[in-house]
Amino acid sequence: MDSQTFSIYILDFDWNYLFVNAFACKNLKLQAKDIIGRNMWSTFDAYNQDPHFLRLKAVTEKKVVSQITTVSPVTGQRISITSYPLTDCYYFAVSILPNKASLLDELRQEMAKKSRV
């Protein structure tokens, strides 16, 4: 649960945080104690304005596994979120995706290496 490559969130069916891993806290620039027990939608009001998050909420509440790729309205990072509705909570795995500039830089570096060979 303490992954160093993706965020893990566990919420109850009222959308209150039960658990956040260290990677999630690092990305949110918060400590777990700052959000455990708090409601996701009132803690991060920007989610209420984002159509991707609202769609994720609607599908998750139907107890269906869902996945979205979007830009976080809280951190500004490109992310991929997979929601897993379990029998007694919601489990979310969030991966941070590289932005366009990072991808282009990586591609340029790879092309430069190949041209030297």
Side-chain angles (χ1 to χ4, degrees), residues 3 11 29 32 34 49 52 54 69 79 86-87 96 108 117:
S3 172
L11 293 90
K29 296 179 176 71
D34 296 330
Q49 311 306 314
H52 295 100
L54 294 174
T69 300
I79 55 174
L86 305 175
T87 57
I96 298 172
R108 286 185 191 108
V117 176

Side-chain angles (χ1 to χ4, degrees), residues 9-66:
Y9 301 91
I10 299 176
L11 293 90
D12 65 21
F13 291 141
D14 292 323
W15 295 90
N16 299 308
Y17 288 98
L18 301 173
F19 172 83
V20 293
N21 71 349
F23 192 77
C25 291
K26 177 182 164 187
N27 286 310
L28 292 172
K29 296 179 176 71
L30 294 171
Q31 294 183 12
K33 67 180 176 93
D34 296 330
I35 58 174
I36 297 297
R38 294 181 63 189
N39 183 275
M40 181 178 111
W41 302 102
S42 59
T43 301
F44 299 106
D45 189 53
Y47 294 156
N48 293 302
Q49 311 306 314
D50 188 286
H52 295 100
F53 278 86
L54 294 174
R55 188 169 353 118
L56 180 73
K57 179 182 182 185
V59 173
T60 301
E61 286 178 341
K62 291 179 183 176
K63 308 289 192 268
V64 176
V65 174
S66 182

Side-chain angles (χ1 to χ4, degrees), residues 45-102:
D45 189 53
Y47 294 156
N48 293 302
Q49 311 306 314
D50 188 286
H52 295 100
F53 278 86
L54 294 174
R55 188 169 353 118
L56 180 73
K57 179 182 182 185
V59 173
T60 301
E61 286 178 341
K62 291 179 183 176
K63 308 289 192 268
V64 176
V65 174
S66 182
Q67 192 276 332
I68 63 166
T69 300
T70 188
V71 174
S72 168
V74 173
T75 66
Q77 298 170 305
R78 286 185 62 238
I79 55 174
S80 175
I81 305 171
T82 305
S83 69
Y84 300 94
L86 305 175
T87 57
D88 57 351
C89 64
Y90 299 133
Y91 174 96
F92 294 90
V94 182
S95 299
I96 298 172
L97 304 173
N99 62 31
K100 183 178 177 181
S102 297

